[in-house]
Protein backbone atom coordinates (compact mmCIF):
# COMPACT_ATOMS: atom_id res chain seq x y z
CA UNK A 1 0.00 0.00 0.00
CA UNK A 2 2.73 2.42 0.95
CA UNK A 3 4.41 1.88 -2.42
CA UNK A 4 1.17 2.84 -4.19
CA UNK A 5 0.72 6.17 -2.46
CA UNK A 6 1.61 9.55 -3.92
CA UNK A 7 2.17 12.41 -1.53
CA UNK A 8 -1.04 14.18 -0.56
CA UNK A 9 -3.26 11.69 -2.30
CA UNK A 10 -5.96 9.54 -0.74
CA UNK A 11 -5.10 6.12 -2.11
CA UNK A 12 -8.68 4.85 -2.03
CA UNK A 13 -8.37 2.54 -5.00
CA UNK A 14 -5.54 0.67 -3.34
CA UNK A 15 -7.75 -0.23 -0.40
CA UNK A 16 -9.09 -3.05 -2.56
CA UNK A 17 -5.73 -4.77 -2.29
CA UNK A 18 -6.17 -5.12 1.42
CA UNK A 19 -7.98 -8.45 1.48
CA UNK A 20 -9.63 -8.00 4.88
CA UNK A 21 -11.16 -4.74 3.69
CA UNK A 22 -12.52 -6.25 0.49
CA UNK A 23 -13.97 -9.24 2.38
CA UNK A 24 -15.65 -6.89 4.86
CA UNK A 25 -17.05 -4.73 2.06
CA UNK A 26 -18.54 -7.77 0.37
CA UNK A 27 -20.17 -9.17 3.49
CA UNK A 28 -21.53 -5.82 4.66
CA UNK A 29 -22.99 -5.21 1.21
CA UNK A 30 -24.65 -8.62 1.34
CA UNK A 31 -25.95 -7.95 4.85
CA UNK A 32 -27.67 -4.76 3.71
CA UNK A 33 -29.57 -6.69 1.05
CA UNK A 34 -31.18 -8.74 3.88
CA UNK A 35 -31.02 -11.91 1.77
CA UNK A 36 -31.68 -15.34 3.26
CA UNK A 37 -28.06 -16.40 2.81
CA UNK A 38 -26.80 -14.48 5.78
CA UNK A 39 -28.00 -14.94 9.34
CA UNK A 40 -26.88 -12.55 12.05
CA UNK A 41 -29.12 -11.77 15.02
CA UNK A 42 -28.57 -8.57 16.97
CA UNK A 43 -25.90 -9.17 19.62
CA UNK A 44 -27.21 -10.71 22.87
CA UNK A 45 -25.71 -8.87 25.79
CA UNK A 46 -25.61 -10.20 29.36
CA UNK A 47 -25.04 -7.36 31.85
CA UNK A 48 -22.66 -8.10 34.73
CA UNK A 49 -23.98 -5.30 36.90
CA UNK A 50 -21.93 -6.28 39.94
CA UNK A 51 -18.70 -5.94 37.96
CA UNK A 52 -19.46 -3.06 35.57
CA UNK A 53 -19.20 -5.36 32.58
CA UNK A 54 -21.08 -7.10 29.78
CA UNK A 55 -20.80 -10.38 27.92
CA UNK A 56 -21.79 -10.10 24.25
CA UNK A 57 -22.63 -13.13 22.09
CA UNK A 58 -22.23 -12.60 18.36
CA UNK A 59 -23.21 -15.58 16.18
CA UNK A 60 -23.31 -15.47 12.38
CA UNK A 61 -23.88 -17.89 9.50
CA UNK A 62 -22.83 -17.05 5.94
CA UNK A 63 -24.55 -19.70 3.81
CA UNK A 64 -22.83 -18.86 0.48
CA UNK A 65 -19.39 -19.44 1.92
CA UNK A 66 -20.60 -21.88 4.58
CA UNK A 67 -18.98 -20.01 7.45
CA UNK A 68 -20.46 -20.63 10.89
CA UNK A 69 -18.93 -18.55 13.64
CA UNK A 70 -19.59 -16.99 16.97
CA UNK A 71 -17.63 -14.49 19.01
CA UNK A 72 -17.97 -14.07 22.74
CA UNK A 73 -16.79 -10.70 23.92
CA UNK A 74 -16.57 -9.44 27.48
CA UNK A 75 -16.30 -5.68 27.83
CA UNK A 76 -15.96 -3.53 30.92
CA UNK A 77 -15.76 0.07 32.01
CA UNK A 78 -12.65 0.03 34.17
CA UNK A 79 -11.39 2.58 36.64
CA UNK A 80 -8.60 4.76 35.21
CA UNK A 81 -5.25 3.08 35.98
CA UNK A 82 -6.71 -0.45 36.12
CA UNK A 83 -4.34 -3.02 34.67
CA UNK A 84 -7.19 -5.28 33.54
CA UNK A 85 -8.14 -5.21 29.83
CA UNK A 86 -11.47 -3.60 28.94
CA UNK A 87 -12.31 -5.89 26.01
CA UNK A 88 -11.57 -9.62 25.70
CA UNK A 89 -12.88 -11.84 22.95
CA UNK A 90 -12.84 -15.47 21.83
CA UNK A 91 -13.94 -16.57 18.37
CA UNK A 92 -15.25 -20.06 17.55
CA UNK A 93 -15.42 -21.38 13.98
CA UNK A 94 -17.60 -24.44 13.33
CA UNK A 95 -17.91 -26.99 10.58
CA UNK A 96 -21.51 -26.15 9.56
CA UNK A 97 -22.09 -29.71 8.21
CA UNK A 98 -21.46 -31.45 11.51
CA UNK A 99 -21.52 -28.66 14.07
CA UNK A 100 -18.03 -29.67 15.18
CA UNK A 101 -15.84 -26.79 16.37
CA UNK A 102 -12.99 -26.39 13.88
CA UNK A 103 -11.12 -23.57 15.60
CA UNK A 104 -11.03 -21.64 18.84
CA UNK A 105 -9.23 -18.34 18.34
CA UNK A 106 -8.22 -15.47 20.51
CA UNK A 107 -10.38 -12.56 19.36
CA UNK A 108 -8.25 -9.60 20.37
CA UNK A 109 -6.50 -9.00 17.06
CA UNK A 110 -9.55 -9.95 14.99
CA UNK A 111 -11.67 -7.45 16.92
CA UNK A 112 -9.07 -4.70 16.68
CA UNK A 113 -8.29 -5.12 12.99
CA UNK A 114 -11.78 -5.74 11.65
CA UNK A 115 -13.20 -2.75 13.53
CA UNK A 116 -10.49 -0.46 12.15
CA UNK A 117 -10.89 -1.90 8.66
CA UNK A 118 -14.65 -1.20 8.73
CA UNK A 119 -13.97 2.37 9.88
CA UNK A 120 -11.50 2.72 7.00
CA UNK A 121 -14.25 1.65 4.58
CA UNK A 122 -16.48 4.38 6.02
CA UNK A 123 -13.65 6.91 5.64
CA UNK A 124 -12.91 5.81 2.08
CA UNK A 125 -16.50 6.61 1.14
CA UNK A 126 -17.24 9.60 3.37
CA UNK A 127 -14.16 11.62 4.28
CA UNK A 128 -13.34 14.84 2.38
CA UNK A 129 -11.57 14.13 -0.91
CA UNK A 130 -8.36 15.86 0.12
CA UNK A 131 -8.33 14.88 3.76
CA UNK A 132 -5.15 16.04 5.49
CA UNK A 133 -5.68 15.71 9.23
CA UNK A 134 -6.54 12.52 11.10
CA UNK A 135 -7.46 12.80 14.77
CA UNK A 136 -7.71 9.86 17.16
CA UNK A 137 -9.58 10.26 20.46
CA UNK A 138 -8.43 7.52 22.84
CA UNK A 139 -5.09 5.73 22.90
CA UNK A 140 -6.11 2.11 23.58
CA UNK A 141 -6.30 -1.01 21.39
CA UNK A 142 -8.77 0.44 18.90
CA UNK A 143 -6.82 3.68 18.59
CA UNK A 144 -3.70 1.66 17.75
CA UNK A 145 -5.44 -0.51 15.14
CA UNK A 146 -7.15 2.54 13.61
CA UNK A 147 -3.80 4.34 13.40
CA UNK A 148 -2.25 1.34 11.65
CA UNK A 149 -5.03 0.74 9.14
CA UNK A 150 -5.71 4.43 8.40
CA UNK A 151 -2.08 5.36 7.85
CA UNK A 152 -1.58 2.32 5.61
CA UNK A 153 -4.67 3.02 3.54
CA UNK A 154 -4.58 6.82 3.32
CA UNK A 155 -2.05 9.63 3.34
CA UNK A 156 -2.45 12.30 6.01
CA UNK A 157 -0.27 15.38 6.50
CA UNK A 158 -0.87 15.29 10.23
CA UNK A 159 -2.01 12.70 12.75
CA UNK A 160 -3.17 13.87 16.18
CA UNK A 161 -4.03 11.96 19.32
CA UNK A 162 -5.87 12.96 22.46
CA UNK A 163 -6.27 10.70 25.46
CA UNK A 164 -7.57 11.46 28.94
CA UNK A 165 -4.17 10.29 30.17
CA UNK A 166 -1.44 12.49 28.68
CA UNK A 167 1.17 9.85 29.48
CA UNK A 168 -0.77 7.22 27.51
CA UNK A 169 -1.11 9.61 24.57
CA UNK A 170 2.64 10.25 24.64
CA UNK A 171 3.30 6.51 24.81
CA UNK A 172 0.98 6.03 21.84
CA UNK A 173 2.84 8.71 19.87
CA UNK A 174 6.25 7.16 20.68
CA UNK A 175 5.10 3.71 19.58
CA UNK A 176 3.46 4.92 16.35
CA UNK A 177 5.29 4.30 13.11
CA UNK A 178 5.27 8.00 12.15
CA UNK A 179 4.89 11.49 13.60
CA UNK A 180 1.89 11.96 15.89
CA UNK A 181 0.97 15.22 17.64
CA UNK A 182 -0.24 14.81 21.22
CA UNK A 183 -3.05 17.28 21.93
CA UNK A 184 -3.95 18.62 25.38
CA UNK A 185 -7.72 18.73 24.85
CA UNK A 186 -10.36 17.16 22.63
CA UNK A 187 -11.23 20.62 21.29
CA UNK A 188 -7.66 21.33 20.17
CA UNK A 189 -7.26 17.82 18.78
CA UNK A 190 -10.33 17.96 16.54
CA UNK A 191 -10.05 21.56 15.37
CA UNK A 192 -9.75 21.49 11.57
CA UNK A 193 -9.51 17.69 11.47
CA UNK A 194 -10.91 15.97 8.37
CA UNK A 195 -11.28 12.54 9.93
CA UNK A 196 -11.97 11.92 13.62
CA UNK A 197 -11.97 8.48 15.22
CA UNK A 198 -13.59 8.20 18.65
CA UNK A 199 -12.34 5.01 20.33
CA UNK A 200 -12.91 5.49 24.04
CA UNK A 201 -14.78 3.88 26.90
CA UNK A 202 -16.61 7.13 27.60
CA UNK A 203 -20.26 7.00 28.58
CA UNK A 204 -20.83 10.77 28.32
CA UNK A 205 -20.31 12.88 25.17
CA UNK A 206 -16.72 13.99 24.66
CA UNK A 207 -16.93 15.14 21.04
CA UNK A 208 -19.12 18.19 20.48
CA UNK A 209 -20.54 19.20 17.13
CA UNK A 210 -19.53 22.84 17.57
CA UNK A 211 -15.85 21.78 17.42
CA UNK A 212 -16.13 19.63 14.31
CA UNK A 213 -15.18 21.13 10.95
CA UNK A 214 -18.01 21.18 8.45
CA UNK A 215 -17.60 18.28 6.03
CA UNK A 216 -15.47 16.20 8.41
CA UNK A 217 -16.00 12.46 8.82
CA UNK A 218 -16.35 10.92 12.29
CA UNK A 219 -15.88 7.18 12.78
CA UNK A 220 -17.40 6.55 16.22
CA UNK A 221 -16.30 3.20 17.59
CA UNK A 222 -17.00 3.34 21.35
CA UNK A 223 -20.31 3.94 23.23
CA UNK A 224 -21.71 0.50 22.48
CA UNK A 225 -24.48 0.57 25.07
CA UNK A 226 -27.90 2.22 24.73
CA UNK A 227 -27.09 4.68 27.54
CA UNK A 228 -23.47 5.45 26.59
CA UNK A 229 -22.38 8.41 24.52
CA UNK A 230 -19.27 9.70 22.78
CA UNK A 231 -20.94 12.29 20.54
CA UNK A 232 -23.26 15.11 21.55
CA UNK A 233 -26.79 15.73 20.26
CA UNK A 234 -25.71 18.60 17.97
CA UNK A 235 -23.21 16.45 16.13
CA UNK A 236 -25.62 13.52 15.85
CA UNK A 237 -28.47 15.69 14.59
CA UNK A 238 -26.46 17.89 12.23
CA UNK A 239 -24.41 15.13 10.62
CA UNK A 240 -25.54 12.55 8.10
CA UNK A 241 -25.52 9.36 10.18
CA UNK A 242 -24.43 5.99 8.80
CA UNK A 243 -24.39 2.77 10.83
CA UNK A 244 -23.15 -0.79 10.37
CA UNK A 245 -26.59 -2.28 11.14
CA UNK A 246 -29.85 -0.38 11.61
CA UNK A 247 -31.16 -3.03 14.03
CA UNK A 248 -27.92 -2.96 16.01
CA UNK A 249 -27.93 0.84 16.24
CA UNK A 250 -31.58 0.94 17.33
CA UNK A 251 -30.84 -1.56 20.12
CA UNK A 252 -27.37 -0.55 21.29
CA UNK A 253 -26.22 2.92 20.28
CA UNK A 254 -26.76 5.59 22.94
CA UNK A 255 -25.57 8.19 20.44
CA UNK A 256 -28.36 7.24 18.03
CA UNK A 257 -31.11 6.39 20.54
CA UNK A 258 -30.67 9.28 22.99
CA UNK A 259 -30.05 11.99 20.40
CA UNK A 260 -33.09 10.94 18.37
CA UNK A 261 -30.93 11.32 15.25
CA UNK A 262 -32.16 9.82 12.03
CA UNK A 263 -30.05 6.99 10.61
CA UNK A 264 -29.54 7.82 6.95
CA UNK A 265 -28.05 4.56 5.72
CA UNK A 266 -26.07 1.44 6.51
CA UNK A 267 -22.49 1.22 5.33
CA UNK A 268 -23.56 -1.80 3.25
CA UNK A 269 -26.21 0.24 1.45
CA UNK A 270 -23.53 2.71 0.40
CA UNK A 271 -21.29 -0.14 -0.71
CA UNK A 272 -24.17 -1.58 -2.78
CA UNK A 273 -24.92 1.85 -4.25
CA UNK A 274 -28.52 1.79 -3.00
CA UNK A 275 -27.86 4.81 -0.75
CA UNK A 276 -25.52 7.70 -1.56
CA UNK A 277 -22.26 8.62 0.15
CA UNK A 278 -22.80 12.24 1.23
CA UNK A 279 -19.11 13.05 1.24
CA UNK A 280 -19.62 16.82 1.08
CA UNK A 281 -21.59 16.86 4.34
CA UNK A 282 -20.42 16.29 7.88
CA UNK A 283 -20.82 12.53 8.38
CA UNK A 284 -20.84 10.13 11.32
CA UNK A 285 -20.29 6.40 10.96
CA UNK A 286 -21.61 4.82 14.15
CA UNK A 287 -19.87 1.46 14.49
CA UNK A 288 -21.07 -1.19 16.91
CA UNK A 289 -19.42 -4.31 15.50
CA UNK A 290 -21.07 -7.27 13.79
CA UNK A 291 -20.74 -11.05 13.97
CA UNK A 292 -20.44 -11.27 10.18
CA UNK A 293 -17.31 -9.09 10.36
CA UNK A 294 -15.76 -11.50 12.85
CA UNK A 295 -16.83 -14.49 10.75
CA UNK A 296 -15.07 -13.38 7.54
CA UNK A 297 -12.01 -12.21 9.49
CA UNK A 298 -11.73 -15.49 11.41
CA UNK A 299 -12.11 -17.46 8.17
CA UNK A 300 -9.22 -15.50 6.61
CA UNK A 301 -7.04 -16.35 9.61
CA UNK A 302 -8.14 -19.99 9.61
CA UNK A 303 -7.54 -20.46 5.86
CA UNK A 304 -4.09 -18.88 6.13
CA UNK A 305 -3.23 -21.18 9.03
CA UNK A 306 -4.58 -24.23 7.17
CA UNK A 307 -2.55 -23.39 4.07
CA UNK A 308 0.61 -23.46 6.17
CA UNK A 309 -0.03 -26.92 7.72
N1 LIG B 1 -17.48 -0.79 17.27
C1 LIG B 1 -16.86 -1.91 17.46
O1 LIG B 1 -16.91 -2.82 16.63
C2 LIG B 1 -16.02 -2.11 18.68
C3 LIG B 1 -16.05 -1.19 19.66
N2 LIG B 1 -15.26 -1.32 20.76
C4 LIG B 1 -15.35 -0.25 21.73
O2 LIG B 1 -14.31 0.70 21.44
C5 LIG B 1 -13.92 1.38 22.62
C6 LIG B 1 -12.41 1.31 22.77
O3 LIG B 1 -12.02 -0.04 22.91
P1 LIG B 1 -10.49 -0.42 23.21
O4 LIG B 1 -9.59 0.48 22.45
O5 LIG B 1 -10.40 -1.87 23.04
O6 LIG B 1 -10.39 -0.06 24.75
P2 LIG B 1 -9.07 0.35 25.57
O7 LIG B 1 -9.41 0.11 26.98
O8 LIG B 1 -7.88 -0.32 24.99
O9 LIG B 1 -8.95 1.91 25.31
C7 LIG B 1 -9.95 2.78 25.77
C8 LIG B 1 -9.52 4.22 25.65
O10 LIG B 1 -10.59 5.02 26.14
C9 LIG B 1 -10.11 5.92 27.12
N3 LIG B 1 -11.19 6.20 28.06
C10 LIG B 1 -11.74 5.36 28.97
N4 LIG B 1 -12.73 5.98 29.62
C11 LIG B 1 -12.83 7.23 29.12
C12 LIG B 1 -13.66 8.34 29.38
N5 LIG B 1 -14.60 8.28 30.30
N6 LIG B 1 -13.46 9.45 28.64
C13 LIG B 1 -12.51 9.50 27.69
N7 LIG B 1 -11.68 8.49 27.42
C14 LIG B 1 -11.84 7.36 28.11
C15 LIG B 1 -8.91 5.21 27.76
O11 LIG B 1 -8.08 6.14 28.39
C16 LIG B 1 -8.29 4.58 26.51
O12 LIG B 1 -7.52 5.52 25.82
C17 LIG B 1 -14.69 0.71 23.75
O13 LIG B 1 -15.84 1.47 24.04
C18 LIG B 1 -15.10 -0.63 23.17
O14 LIG B 1 -16.25 -1.16 23.77
C19 LIG B 1 -14.39 -2.35 20.90
C20 LIG B 1 -14.35 -3.32 19.96
C21 LIG B 1 -15.17 -3.30 18.77
O1 LIG C 1 -18.07 -5.84 18.07
C1 LIG C 1 -17.38 -6.02 19.07
O2 LIG C 1 -16.50 -6.88 19.12
C2 LIG C 1 -17.62 -5.17 20.25
N1 LIG C 1 -18.46 -4.24 20.13
C3 LIG C 1 -18.81 -3.34 21.15
C4 LIG C 1 -18.32 -3.69 22.48
C5 LIG C 1 -17.06 -4.41 22.53
C6 LIG C 1 -16.86 -5.41 21.45
Amino acid sequence: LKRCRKKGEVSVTHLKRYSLISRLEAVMGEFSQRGAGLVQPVRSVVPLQKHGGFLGLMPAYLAHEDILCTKMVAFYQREQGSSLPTTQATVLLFDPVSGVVSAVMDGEVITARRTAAVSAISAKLLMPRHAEILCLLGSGHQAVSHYEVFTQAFTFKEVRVWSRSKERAEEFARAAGGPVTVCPSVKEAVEGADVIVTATNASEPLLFGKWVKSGAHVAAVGACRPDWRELDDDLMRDAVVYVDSREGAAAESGDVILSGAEVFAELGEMINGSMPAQRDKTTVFKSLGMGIQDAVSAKLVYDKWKSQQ
Side-chain angles (χ1 to χ4, degrees):
L1 279 168
K2 279 191 172 137
R3 272 204 312 274
C4 299
R5 290 185 318 199
K6 284 189 209 143
K7 213 170 161 35
E9 183 185 84
V10 177
S11 59
V12 288
T13 53
H14 305 307
L15 275 174
K16 282 278 175 207
R17 297 187 181 192
Y18 197 32
S19 65
L20 175 59
I21 286 183
S22 52
R23 294 291 298 112
L24 289 166
E25 280 179 333
V27 80
M28 292 185 72
E30 190 182 343
F31 174 81
S32 289
Q33 288 169 350
R34 298 296 189 277
L38 209 157
V39 185
Q40 186 213 254
V42 172
R43 174 166 45 215
S44 296
V45 181
V46 178
L48 312 168
Q49 215 162 1
K50 201 166 130 184
H51 304 289
F54 301 87
L55 179 66
L57 303 177
M58 304 175 67
Y61 177 51
L62 284 59
H64 296 150
E65 296 155 89
D66 230 11
I67 306 175
L68 179 60
C69 178
T70 191
K71 183 166 86 176
M72 287 153 290
V73 57
F75 57 102
Y76 294 78
Q77 278 196 309
R78 306 270 190 216
E79 294 299 322
Q80 199 166 6
S82 165
S83 58
L84 293 168
T86 55
T87 308
Q88 291 170 86
T90 304
V91 178
L92 298 185
L93 268 182
F94 298 84
D95 173 357
V97 178
S98 61
V100 168
V101 173
S102 43
V104 180
M105 304 180 190
D106 182 86
E108 185 181 314
V109 174
I110 286 175
T111 302
R113 296 246 174 109
R114 66 80 152 130
T115 309
V118 170
S119 297
I121 297 168
S122 82
K124 178 181 79 160
L125 296 167
L126 294 171
M127 71 184 181
R129 280 185 206 288
H130 302 288
E132 295 188 334
I133 303 176
L134 168 68
C135 170
L136 302 163
L137 302 180
S139 59
H141 292 83
Q142 289 294 336
V144 169
S145 61
H146 278 71
Y147 173 81
E148 286 170 359
V149 173
F150 275 61
T151 55
Q152 276 172 21
F154 311 117
T155 302
F156 294 102
K157 280 194 180 152
E158 187 183 356
V159 181
R160 300 175 186 164
V161 67
W162 169 87
S163 184
R164 65 182 176 161
S165 150
K166 190 170 170 245
E167 291 70 37
R168 287 276 166 81
E170 284 169 351
E171 221 172 275
F172 177 98
R174 272 196 299 278
V180 173
T181 311
V182 174
C183 297
S185 68
V186 175
K187 183 171 181 286
E188 285 159 277
V190 302
E191 201 163 46
D194 300 291
V195 182
I196 302 167
V197 175
T198 61
T200 74
N201 283 314
S203 51
E204 301 293 332
L206 58 86
L207 179 60
F208 292 84
K210 62 185 175 203
W211 298 336
V212 175
K213 176 170 128 176
S214 174
H217 175 57
V218 178
V221 166
C224 297
R225 294 294 300 153
D227 55 350
W228 291 1
R229 304 291 300 264
E230 284 190 307
L231 317 181
D232 81 336
D233 285 351
D234 288 344
L235 178 55
M236 287 304 291
R237 290 190 199 137
D238 294 345
V240 184
V241 177
Y242 296 81
V243 295
D244 43 14
S245 146
R246 288 180 189 272
E247 294 87 344
E252 292 192 327
S253 170
D255 286 329
V256 170
I257 297 164
L258 300 176
S259 67
E262 183 201 338
V263 171
F264 176 71
E266 287 181 348
L267 196 52
E269 293 177 292
M270 243 191 323
I271 291 166
N272 293 336
S274 58
M275 289 298 274
Q278 299 206 40
R279 195 191 278 277
D280 298 333
K281 306 251 178 76
T282 304
T283 51
V284 166
F285 169 57
K286 178 57 225 154
S287 160
L288 290 158
M290 299 167 79
I292 54 169
Q293 299 164 356
D294 298 310
V296 296
S297 308
K299 186 67 166 49
L300 273 179
V301 174
Y302 182 70
D303 288 347
K304 178 85 180 162
W305 174 78
K306 269 288 224 191
S307 71
Q308 289 166 350
Q309 297 313 298

